[in-house]
Amino acid sequence: MTPLLVAASSAVLLGATVLAVLHPRIILLLLVALDVSYVNAVIAGHVGISPYLPQLFLALVALGVMARRGSFRFAWSPVLVGLLVVYAGFFVSFRAAIDPYNSEILLWARVRDLVFFFVVYALLLSTGKVASVLRAAVLVLAGLAALTVFHEFVLDNAGNLGGLSQVPLTEENGASTPRHAGTHTDVNFWARLLILFTPLSLSMSALSRRTAPRVLWGISTVSLLMGVYLTQSRGGFIALFVALVVWAVLSGSRHRRALLWTSLVLLPVVPLTGVGDRLESLVQFGTESRALADGSLVTRERLQLIAWRMFLDAPATGHGIGSYGSLFATYDRTSDFYNRVSLGAAAHNFFLEQAADGGVVLLLCWAVFLGTVFFALLRTLISARESGDEPSRYLATGIIAGLVGWLVASVFLHLSDYRALLMLAAVAAVLDLGTRRRLEPAPPQPSSSPPRHERLMPRTLLKVSALGAAAAGMLLATAGDRYTSSTTLAVLPTSTEIDWADAYALDVVSRGMIVPTLASVLDESVSTAALEATTDTRPGSTRAEVDIQQSRLGGAVVVTVVADDERTAAELGDAAVHLARSEVAALDSGYRLADAPSTPVERHTTFSWVVAPLTVVAALSAGWVAQRLRRRARSAP
């Protein structure tokens, strides 16, 4: 790059930064529209870095400037309670993680997404630009959907338009079929994202009183519908229909009649466009043999059954957040392991995925979170009807219909578009707060005392802050490093002769009781007391735990020793391996544990998983209390 170009780019970047800080609504619109639409990912593919983190940083700077000016706003909402509950579910499932490394990566990604939620929530409250944010998101997605239409019918799917219109080829009945994924890498996820915002486009059209805006939103709605059609997503078609019906039911009789007539007009189009054939394959799947059924549906059924088996094995807290991919090979080896999976190793069902990862606990936490979002939206809908607030009523209607469509589509898809979901949750909370404020009675005279709940709220929050800070301090003070020695020992037959019986003896995976039985016997017999008798190390002087479980690969056992210091973990680990091999040899079962080299001891901190949520709660509560006290000081006579 030439010095002049560098200087010009720097000047533009600096100007945009100053403009975003002085006018926070600009960075809010950019942060939401570019992230929700995956345009940030497209930009990252071209320049090597995503604009998302710089946008988030600028948003935080803008919030700091607003706090300095006194225009920063923050308020409590039931949605925040639901959000904290679902994150508590994430952390609980992490405690049961079968693959702590990958689970921790996903967990911290979810924590970073929590920062996105609070930034968007605070900016929405402070700027009041709820409708503008939703308009920006809908228009960007509608523009990208229109681009896919142009790509299909004008350019004949040539290229990918700089990454803005991905057209992967999928195998359909022996032929390769182009299906549009927009800026996403998966056509079904792209369809679900468009469905999430299509009812909002209808709401914008219903709110328009002039011809030009109504035409704009009508075109946007058609573009989104065509975008969903070009994905050829069967689950997307069903979810879109349900979302439109929900929107029509909630919006009013005039729109219900219009949607009914539109449905009657479009009914003949279904068999002509291929939609009917795509939906018919779902019906045929339940009646025809698996050899003749759609391959993608057969694979999805297989993936979902594996998720169901995972849930049944750990129904309470699951196997840990994000554990499906780690455990897939283990469970798949007991079924169709010889038949290669044509799709990514994912549950392809949001509900089964969360059940496998976090069990009943995480499912209930998700129910609480989504329940608070729907509660806030329904309360907005009722309050807006009472006060005659048409914009809030239609926006709440659009979000409710979009979320219902998203949930229906999630029967066929696992979790994605998480930040888009968080953004709509933030909008739901802000809409609820706005309509409730408009229905509140006139404020009392300055001489009257504040309401009881306002007097008690700062005290309660101060107590919560103090408890959170004290708990975090205690954990920090009592935290210590723990050391883990983990060794995998394969289960092999004792015979070394090559004869016809070897194959049967080696098949310890399909004969499912061999390895679990050995693991259970060893877990009972190899204890810290037994190790103390066979080694000079005295576990009594330090905390030590021994655990022996079946390996995720099925044909081995994993010997794990956890202790307070590295030397003890290493020595007890070697002693546990030696004792386990001796115990299996003494059983005379025809099997032995293979030799294994000593593995390096790993260090991990015991408090890290719980300090983060406590710190977040304490910081949020302290910030809220400080804001309430500052407002009270300003309003005092």
Side-chain angles (χ1 to χ4, degrees), residues 27-28 30-32 35 40 50-63 111-120 123 419:
I27 190 60
L28 173 62
L30 288 175
L31 177 64
V32 169
D35 187 66
N40 279 336
S50 173
Y52 169 69
L53 288 180
Q55 290 166 4
L56 192 62
F57 174 75
L58 286 177
L60 288 169
V61 173
L63 286 175
V111 172
R112 291 192 294 271
D113 293 337
L114 187 62
V115 176
F116 169 84
F117 170 86
F118 280 110
V119 167
V120 171
L123 282 173
R419 286 204 290 265

Side-chain angles (χ1 to χ4, degrees), residues 3-175:
L4 181 61
L5 184 58
V6 172
S9 302
S10 301
V12 170
L13 181 60
L14 179 62
T17 302
V18 173
L19 187 64
V21 171
L22 295 179
H23 301 281
R25 65 180 180 276
I26 296 177
I27 190 60
L28 173 62
L29 296 177
L30 288 175
L31 177 64
V32 169
L34 297 184
D35 187 66
V36 166
S37 61
Y38 286 83
V39 172
N40 279 336
V42 175
I43 296 174
H46 288 292
V47 302
I49 185 172
S50 173
Y52 169 69
L53 288 180
Q55 290 166 4
L56 192 62
F57 174 75
L58 286 177
L60 288 169
V61 173
L63 286 175
V65 173
M66 296 178 76
R68 180 69 178 172
R69 293 175 175 175
S71 57
F72 176 80
R73 299 290 181 270
F74 197 85
W76 192 254
S77 167
V79 176
L80 302 187
V81 177
L83 190 64
L84 293 177
V85 167
V86 78
Y87 270 82
F90 290 154
F91 281 97
V92 169
S93 72
F94 178 68
R95 291 298 294 168
I98 202 72
D99 187 358
Y101 177 76
N102 288 323
S103 293
E104 187 174 2
I105 292 175
L106 181 58
L107 181 64
W108 287 115
R110 292 284 182 261
V111 172
R112 291 192 294 271
D113 293 337
L114 187 62
V115 176
F116 169 84
F117 170 86
F118 280 110
V119 167
V120 171
Y121 179 64
L123 282 173
L124 286 171
L125 281 174
S126 302
T127 62
K129 298 297 180 181
V130 175
S132 299
V133 167
L134 294 178
R135 290 192 193 101
V138 172
L139 285 176
V140 170
L141 287 171
L144 292 170
L147 195 61
T148 63
V149 175
F150 179 79
H151 198 192
E152 168 76 21
F153 296 106
V154 178
L155 301 181
D156 197 23
N157 296 325
N160 63 3
L161 303 186
L164 295 175
S165 181
Q166 306 281 348
V167 191
L169 294 176
T170 57
E171 192 73 18
E172 300 286 347
N173 297 323

Side-chain angles (χ1 to χ4, degrees), residues 251-270:
S251 60
S253 58
R254 177 167 60 93
H255 301 292
R256 284 198 289 271
R257 287 194 297 269
L259 191 64
L260 175 61
W261 285 110
T262 304
S263 302
L264 293 177
V265 171
L266 293 178
L267 192 60
V269 180
V270 172

Side-chain angles (χ1 to χ4, degrees), residues 198-208 217 221 247 251 391 393-399:
T198 299
L200 275 170
S201 183
L202 288 171
S203 294
M204 301 297 180
S205 179
L207 285 171
S208 302
W217 293 114
T221 303
W247 185 88
S251 60
R393 181 171 77 88
Y394 275 108
L395 292 180
T397 298
I399 298 174

Side-chain angles (χ1 to χ4, degrees), residues 318-437:
H319 300 277
I321 179 173
S323 62
Y324 182 93
S326 302
L327 289 174
F328 173 76
T330 303
Y331 283 82
D332 198 45
R333 288 183 68 181
T334 62
S335 56
D336 297 329
F337 62 91
Y338 53 84
N339 186 16
R340 187 177 65 87
V341 177
S342 59
L343 301 173
H348 288 276
N349 183 300
F350 166 73
F351 308 98
L352 287 176
E353 175 200 36
Q354 299 305 308
D357 285 355
V360 174
V361 172
L362 187 55
L363 282 178
L364 291 176
C365 291
W366 270 106
V368 171
F369 170 54
L370 293 172
T372 57
V373 174
F374 279 109
F375 171 77
L377 290 169
L378 291 172
R379 188 161 64 175
T380 299
L381 199 62
I382 296 171
S383 301
R385 284 176 176 172
E386 293 178 358
S387 62
D389 185 359
E390 288 293 290
S392 296
R393 181 171 77 88
Y394 275 108
L395 292 180
T397 298
I399 298 174
I400 291 173
L403 288 176
V404 170
W406 188 91
L407 289 173
V408 173
S410 297
V411 174
F412 309 95
L413 299 170
H414 49 282
L415 181 61
S416 71
D417 313 320
Y418 182 61
R419 286 204 290 265
L421 196 65
L422 290 181
M423 186 273 289
L424 290 181
V427 170
V430 174
L431 285 175
D432 179 41
L433 289 169
T435 53
R436 285 168 59 197
R437 287 197 186 105

